Structures are given as structure tokens and as C-alpha cells.
Amino acid sequence: MFRFCLLLALCAGPAFGAMLDGPVRVIDGDTLEISGERVRLFGIDAPEHDQRCTDAAGRPWACGARATEALRDLTKGRAVRCSGEEQDRYGRLVARCAVAGRDLGAAMVRDGMAFAYRRYSLDYVAEEGQAKAAKRGIWAGTAENPAAVRAGARPVQAAPKGCAIKGNISSRGRIYHLPDDRSYAKTRINTATGERWFCTEAEARAAGWRHAGD
């Protein structure tokens, strides 16, 4: 049974506390979904889904896809517990997550599958040092920081406040894209042709649109 507990503050404001636990769906190397709720792992930044790194011999390898698989391996068939107090700009819970008490963020960084996200936390710097010293994963050769990869990507089309889901009409029909989806950044919305923005997945589905991954 999935459990989602939302503890709302008595005063107005964005702060809240939340706990999620149950089986997960892995989105990428630092994002999970539990019972329909998106969770961004606190304190780490994994290579972007399509990002490529180079190994010790200078050969390219799909580090983004490998990071996704690494997180999938850590969580497959296991209950995950997440606890967080903030949401990011995409509405995802930013949380520490664990399997049987094992911190997933620490494991990903220690295995060389993610960077310590120093912009927001120094909690996993020691694990990153261990991975570097052992030349594990992204530290076996060279890897561009994911934040730099994102900064060099095509600018994201501005979304209405709180409504970042893109409703796109294509040869596949009426498809919606979530902010973490692979094709989100390159998908452009033209409201003149009937395309639109949605605030929630439930709203998109009720309007007859289906997720790009369905």
C-alpha cells in the first residue's frame, strides 16, 4: 500500500513536510516517482538522460542512461522511503530517500553515478571524493557537470505559473510532456493550433491527452 503524508503548516507559505514510501518508478538518475508523486533526490545531480561522458581511454559512453539504470538497480523490487520539506520549481518533492536505511543519494555519488550538488548541499562531498579517488563511474574519465549541460541546452519555453505540463499535438495524437520527460525541452507549444499547458496530470488526462511515455 502506498502512503503519502502531507503535513501542512498552520501559517501561509510554501513550506511543508512530506513523507512518501512504497515501490518506485525511476525517471532518471536523480528523480523517482512514488504513487504518482515526483521526487528529486536531495543533494545530488546525476548526468542528464542523454548525456555522454568519456572513459579513461577517451571513448564516449552513455553516462546519463547508465545513471538511470544505477538508480533503478538500487530500488528494483524494494520499498523506498523519502522525506522532504521543499518543492522545486517543477513541483517535485526534494527529498532524502532510502532503501532499508541506505541513503540513495549517498550511494549514487559514492558509485560515481552522480555529482554532489554543491549549489544546494555539501552533504555528499565526502562520497564524491571516494568516487574520484577510486575513479568510479563518471570519474573514470571526464564528465561535464549536468548543470552546465542544461545551461547549454535550448532555452525552455516559458510556462504559465504553476502549469508546466506541455500538451503537444503530433502524429501520435494529443500527448503531454512532464518537465522531467526526455522530450520536454525541445517540445514547443503553439496555442494557436490547439496545443496547451496543463497544471496537473489529472487535468491533462481528463481533457483526453495521454502521457508521452504511455
Side-chain angles (χ1 to χ4, degrees):
M1 175 72 69
F2 292 112
R3 296 201 297 270
F4 175 62
C5 178
L6 181 64
L7 307 176
L8 294 174
L10 294 178
C11 58
F16 70 97
M19 292 186 66
L20 292 166
D21 62 41
V24 306
R25 181 169 74 94
V26 171
I27 306 302
D28 57 31
D30 51 34
T31 310
L32 305 168
E33 183 177 275
I34 303 179
S35 191
E37 298 291 334
R38 291 290 175 106
V39 178
R40 176 66 159 82
L41 293 180
F42 169 81
I44 76 168
D45 201 10
E48 292 297 295
H49 191 279
D50 295 324
Q51 186 174 337
R52 297 179 72 79
C53 302
T54 58
D55 62 17
R59 296 169 300 200
W61 63 286
C63 54
R66 180 67 191 92
T68 302
E69 287 303 313
L71 186 56
R72 191 169 286 130
D73 289 343
L74 288 169
T75 60
K76 188 175 182 180
R78 299 166 182 161
V80 176
R81 173 163 290 186
C82 299
S83 177
E85 297 182 351
E86 297 180 355
Q87 287 183 319
D88 67 9
R89 60 178 176 157
Y90 301 119
R92 300 174 298 185
L93 174 68
V94 179
R96 295 180 185 274
C97 298
V99 171
R102 185 185 187 190
D103 187 323
L104 294 177
M108 288 292 289
V109 175
R110 191 182 300 115
D111 291 343
M113 290 291 104
F115 293 82
Y117 208 171
R118 286 173 169 79
R119 179 179 175 184
Y120 297 104
S121 171
L122 300 178
D123 286 16
Y124 301 122
V125 170
E127 285 83 357
E128 184 176 88
Q130 294 170 20
K132 281 184 179 180
K135 297 184 178 180
R136 289 193 287 262
I138 56 178
W139 305 110
T142 60
E144 188 173 5
N145 190 290
V149 173
R150 292 191 293 271
R154 185 182 183 187
V156 175
Q157 188 178 17
K161 186 176 181 180
C163 301
I165 299 173
K166 294 180 177 182
N168 172 240
I169 301 174
S170 70
S171 59
R172 297 175 58 200
R174 295 175 180 267
I175 306 294
Y176 68 84
H177 300 264
L178 300 171
D180 291 315
D181 288 343
R182 199 170 179 178
S183 300
Y184 183 85
K186 67 182 181 182
T187 299
R188 315 301 286 179
I189 297 305
N190 183 356
T191 56
T193 64
E195 295 179 332
R196 55 179 293 192
W197 300 89
F198 294 102
C199 302
T200 66
E201 283 195 78
E203 179 189 4
R205 290 188 181 277
W209 301 61
R210 60 187 177 85
H211 183 236
D214 290 350

